[in-house]
Amino acid sequence: MLLKIIRKFSSAHHLPHYDGPCKNLHGHTWKVVFVLEGPVQENGMVHDFKVLKKLLDDQLPDHQYLNDLLPNPTAENLAPYLFAKTTDALKPLGLTLKTLELWENENAAAVVEG
């Protein structure tokens, strides 16, 4: 069974290798779409959505300066970073992260598939 959970976080960054306004410090409210896979348990659920939302929120760099995490925190670099971090967090639950979409605005996203 696949589950889709959408979360948001806010952060600031600058793009040191970009020749344009994004070279300067700025922020985004990012949207992250997680697609998880796991078996339906005897209780009729893959896992409790409340627990999953908390676990996923804990992987997100909310109100952080992204350049402290990655030297060039583009959406294309941040998405695989979050994918790896979330994959590790889901392993103890027996769940797999199939897809992560990282939306920096309503028109642009980076997608990682596992």
Side-chain angles (χ1 to χ4, degrees):
M1 173 71 65
L2 298 177
L3 301 180
K4 186 180 284 190
I5 300 174
I6 300 171
R7 308 308 292 156
K8 291 187 177 181
F9 71 97
S10 298
S11 64
H13 68 158
H14 77 277
L15 303 180
H17 306 295
Y18 183 74
D19 186 22
C22 293
K23 186 171 192 149
N24 300 316
L25 179 64
H26 65 285
H28 296 278
T29 298
W30 304 82
K31 179 173 89 170
V32 188
V33 180
F34 298 94
V35 178
L36 316 175
E37 183 175 44
V40 177
Q41 304 298 314
E42 287 184 23
N43 65 3
M45 297 187 291
V46 171
H47 210 292
D48 185 341
F49 277 116
K50 183 177 179 181
V51 171
L52 291 174
K53 287 188 271 186
K54 168 77 168 95
L55 181 143
L56 296 173
D57 285 346
D58 288 346
Q59 309 317 305
L60 301 176
D62 190 41
H63 286 80
Q64 292 185 33
Y65 180 52
L66 299 178
N67 294 74
D68 289 341
L69 302 175
L70 298 167
N72 188 26
T74 62
E76 296 89 341
N77 288 332
L78 185 57
Y81 169 85
L82 295 175
F83 189 94
K85 188 175 179 189
T86 304
T87 294
D88 289 344
L90 289 169
K91 281 182 185 174
L93 301 180
L95 300 177
T96 302
L97 181 59
K98 299 298 285 181
T99 307
L100 181 145
E101 296 179 13
L102 178 65
W103 292 81
E104 72 173 27
N105 62 47
E106 66 275 3
N107 300 314
V111 179
V112 178
E113 296 180 336

